[in-house]
Amino acid sequence: MDFYDGLAPFYHLIYPDWNASIRRQGEQLSQLVASEWPGTRRVLDVACGIGTQALALAERGHAVTGADLSAGAIERAREEARLRGLAIDFRVADMREAHAAHGSGFDLLVACDNAVPHLLSDQDLLHAFRQFAACLKPGGGCLISVRDYEREARGTNLVKHYGARVENGKRHVLFQVWDFEGEHYDLGFFIVEEDLASAQVTTHVLRSRYYAVSTTRLCGLLREAGFDSVRRLDGVFYQPLLVGTKPAGASA
């Protein structure tokens, strides 16, 4: 996971105000969870990154386990939790082996920030979703946020701007460049770092690949993995949310 190891020191710059985003996402997710799965306590975030949702939910009283394949992201997440006085169990683990890594009995499983399209085939996605179901207690919820790829243009040299951020005497300009090949695209994440005192400029380029899978297909795979009440929710989070519930009669 060189991509996220390299991105970990800069990830918060994706947001104009990361701390405000943590608070806002915590409020939005907590309201949804209380409505969909009341009484939720134990949360497993299988793609926690530097901790945006894990921190948000822990701050609102949930017992959170956070996991990510990137050791660099987990190291930063642990430090962010320490700075906030939060007790979160962060681990390096692959979402495709979530049950083997974390066991079962969780009330809620979360995978936000367009994490699941890093899995590049329907087979990998279905395997991961079955692992997600195995982690949950009967009646437990699954909550995934993704890009709406059906609304995204296809092509090459597609530029996605994040803007400029000034922090600690440096200006960072962030943007992505996408190049599609069928239903997959290669992504270059460019971070241009300018020292405002010396005018010295350093450019970081991080590369990854995504599966531009539709939310319709993802919902179908969630149902195939055994989830009930699967649907897409719009207007409640910064990305479309996909939710599903493990049947109450399913084995733990």
Side-chain angles (χ1 to χ4, degrees), residues 128-178:
F129 292 168
R130 285 174 171 155
Q131 287 281 301
F132 294 1
C135 289
L136 292 166
K137 70 177 188 181
C142 178
L143 190 157
I144 296 170
S145 85
V146 291
R147 284 185 180 269
D148 190 352
Y149 283 115
E150 290 169 304
R151 293 179 175 269
E152 297 284 356
R154 299 292 198 267
T156 58
N157 299 317
L158 302 174
V159 180
K160 311 288 182 176
H161 290 283
Y162 286 89
R165 318 277 188 243
V166 176
E167 179 181 86
N168 300 325
K170 293 183 178 181
R171 176 163 51 206
H172 299 85
V173 179
L174 299 90
F175 61 95
Q176 296 181 1
V177 180
W178 295 7

Side-chain angles (χ1 to χ4, degrees), residues 56-162:
L57 291 169
E59 284 179 342
R60 301 182 81 84
H62 296 283
V64 179
T65 297
D68 201 278
L69 195 56
S70 165
I74 289 296
E75 182 179 358
R76 169 122 192 238
R78 286 173 177 153
E79 177 61 13
E80 295 293 343
R82 186 192 67 78
L83 292 171
R84 292 165 171 79
L86 297 171
I88 301 175
D89 180 8
F90 283 115
R91 309 170 181 178
V92 177
D94 189 331
M95 73 173 84
R96 292 170 293 186
E97 303 303 330
H99 182 253
H102 312 297
S104 57
F106 290 92
D107 300 309
L108 176 69
L109 183 144
V110 175
C112 288
D113 295 337
N114 204 49
V116 298
H118 276 298
L119 304 180
L120 300 179
S121 70
D122 288 359
Q123 182 179 3
D124 263 2
L125 286 164
L126 180 58
H127 174 76
F129 292 168
R130 285 174 171 155
Q131 287 281 301
F132 294 1
C135 289
L136 292 166
K137 70 177 188 181
C142 178
L143 190 157
I144 296 170
S145 85
V146 291
R147 284 185 180 269
D148 190 352
Y149 283 115
E150 290 169 304
R151 293 179 175 269
E152 297 284 356
R154 299 292 198 267
T156 58
N157 299 317
L158 302 174
V159 180
K160 311 288 182 176
H161 290 283
Y162 286 89

Side-chain angles (χ1 to χ4, degrees), residues 29-41 62 107-110 136-137 139-144 227-229 231 233 242-246:
L29 293 176
S30 291
Q31 288 178 355
L32 175 62
V33 169
S35 173
E36 295 283 332
W37 308 286
T40 288
R41 169 68 178 159
H62 296 283
D107 300 309
L108 176 69
L109 183 144
V110 175
L136 292 166
K137 70 177 188 181
C142 178
L143 190 157
I144 296 170
F227 286 98
D228 282 347
S229 303
R231 63 199 190 281
L233 302 177
L242 310 181
V243 299
T245 299
K246 183 172 180 174

